[in-house]
Every structure is written in structure tokens, then in C-alpha cells.
Amino acid sequence: MPSESIDSDENPRATHRAPANVGRTMIGEDIALTLKIVVAGGFGAGKSTLIGSVSEIRPLHSEEELSVRETGSGPGRGDAGGAERKTSTTVAMDFGRITVHSGLSLLLFGTPGQDRFRFLWEELCEGALAAVVLADTRRLEDCFAAVDHFEGRRIPFVVAVNRFPGAPDHTEHDVAQALDLDVGTPVVLCDALDRASVKEVLIRTVEYAGRMHTARLLASVG
């Protein structure tokens, strides 16, 4: 799918650098809160699908056609049924936005899944509150790099297991052990095609990030 242009007020490069207004003013006036969430994971894990399923604006996808060598012939693991059927790949980022409730909006930035675009991750993670690592149980090793990236930069993240048809049925505990996650890192099962399921993942991510950032703040002053 070719790249789509978006209006300036939805420009992700401008938006993802804008500081969020937090909480309420001293006179009790409500302030809108906008938070940045990064969505990462391996090639074909469903990142573009997840953002597209939940975004209330037309999502931005920056994609290019895959070569025969890049498509490969491995086991099915694509956004809608198999990476071998994918004809394009994200080369810069995906972008979407969702209003969770009145006063709280999330900006979603999807990272490119292929190793050759890994240099873009630092830019996309700038200013992020938290991240979602999308995992496919048929190829859990594909999300090792994302887990290492966020752990190394102390960015709170939730692992969301995208339940593909025919994929091994592992529990959240199994996945946490296989990825050697830090104690307390949430693992949730989801369907990247289902808006309600994706929204629940995002809510869990914001809640977990809030607890982590609060604990770090208290530790720094205590």
C-alpha cells in the first residue's frame, strides 16, 4: 500500500515531539492528556493491523513492496494469515490515534519489523510513555530485539500475544518465561484484528506504565 499523506494537525513527526499536558490546572480545570505509545515486534507480527484496527483517524502506513527474497517461504505469520502472503512491509513507521476516554488520547507509532530499518527505532521511541511488543508464538524469537530494546532503555512495555489461527496455544506465563521477562512485565493475549481486544491491550499498557513511572519517581525522592 503506498504512503498516505495526512494533515498537519495529524503529522506524527510534529505530534510525537509535542509535550503532553498532564492532569489538571491549579484551579481545577481539566487538561487534555496525550500520550505516545510505540508498537514493536517482529516482521509480520501484526503491528500495522493492530494500529489500523483501533485508530480513529485514517492510519498512516509507510510501506514498500517486498522482493521475492524478502517474502521468503517460511511458516505463516502475517498480519492476516501469513508472512509468505505479505507483499509490502513498513519501512518507516505506522501512525494512528485513539481517544481512550474524554481527556485521554493515545498516539500510536509502529516500528518497522525488519532488521535493516532498526536504526529508526531510537527516533520513534523518543518521548514514549510506554510500548507494546507484539508477539507471534510461532516465532517468539522475532520479538527478542524489541524486548531487549525497551528493557535496556527502561521504557515500560507490555507483551501482547497476537493469536493467529493455528498458532501454539501458550499461556501468558509460558510466554513470559520464554522471553525471560523481568518480574511483573505484563503478558496479555489479544487479537490484532479486534478493536475491543486492542483497546484493552492499550489500557493495560497505560496502567502499567503509570505504576512503573510512579514507582521510579518515588524511589528517586525517597
Side-chain angles (χ1 to χ4, degrees), residues 6-219:
I6 55 177
D7 296 335
S8 58
D9 62 341
E10 296 174 356
N11 188 312
R13 284 197 171 274
T15 308
H16 90 294
R17 294 177 180 276
N21 294 320
V22 182
R24 298 170 66 88
T25 67
M26 294 189 65
I27 60 174
E29 185 180 45
D30 288 330
I31 299 178
L33 179 65
T34 301
L35 303 174
K36 178 180 179 182
I37 304 293
V38 175
V39 180
F43 171 73
K47 300 180 295 296
S48 299
T49 299
L50 182 146
I51 292 174
S53 293
V54 80
S55 180
E56 64 197 15
I57 63 171
R58 184 177 62 182
L60 167 69
H61 300 298
S62 53
E63 299 184 337
E64 72 173 16
E65 294 297 311
L66 285 168
S67 66
V68 174
R69 178 179 59 83
E70 289 171 323
T71 55
S73 57
R77 56 190 178 97
D79 281 354
E84 76 280 4
R85 292 197 292 272
K86 284 174 67 69
T87 59
S88 62
T89 184
T90 300
V91 297
M93 66 177 180
D94 296 312
F95 174 75
R97 183 176 67 207
I98 175 175
T99 301
V100 177
H101 57 68
S102 178
L104 176 60
S105 298
L106 303 180
L107 306 180
L108 308 177
F109 290 78
T111 66
Q114 293 185 303
D115 290 343
R116 62 193 175 111
F117 300 116
R118 191 70 51 79
F119 66 92
L120 294 169
W121 284 27
E122 290 293 342
E123 173 74 9
L124 291 176
C125 290
E126 180 184 350
L129 172 82
V132 174
V133 175
L134 199 59
D136 179 349
T137 56
R138 294 168 295 185
R139 288 179 174 264
L140 276 178
E141 67 275 11
D142 283 1
C143 64
F144 286 172
V147 169
D148 289 343
H149 183 88
F150 298 125
E151 284 185 344
R153 288 153 184 79
R154 303 188 72 215
I155 299 175
F157 67 93
V158 167
V159 174
V161 180
N162 193 8
R163 292 177 291 188
F164 288 95
D169 187 17
H170 294 298
T171 66
E172 293 93 328
H173 179 71
D174 293 337
V175 173
Q177 283 196 318
L179 295 177
D180 193 25
L181 299 176
D182 291 340
V183 177
T185 301
V187 177
V188 296
L189 305 179
C190 76
D191 180 354
L193 289 166
D194 183 78
R195 177 182 173 83
S197 179
V198 174
K199 187 174 181 179
E200 179 62 27
V201 169
L202 296 174
I203 291 172
R204 288 282 301 275
T205 302
V206 172
E207 291 175 343
Y208 176 64
R211 294 195 300 271
M212 290 296 294
H213 287 298
T214 299
R216 292 171 185 174
L217 178 61
L218 292 175

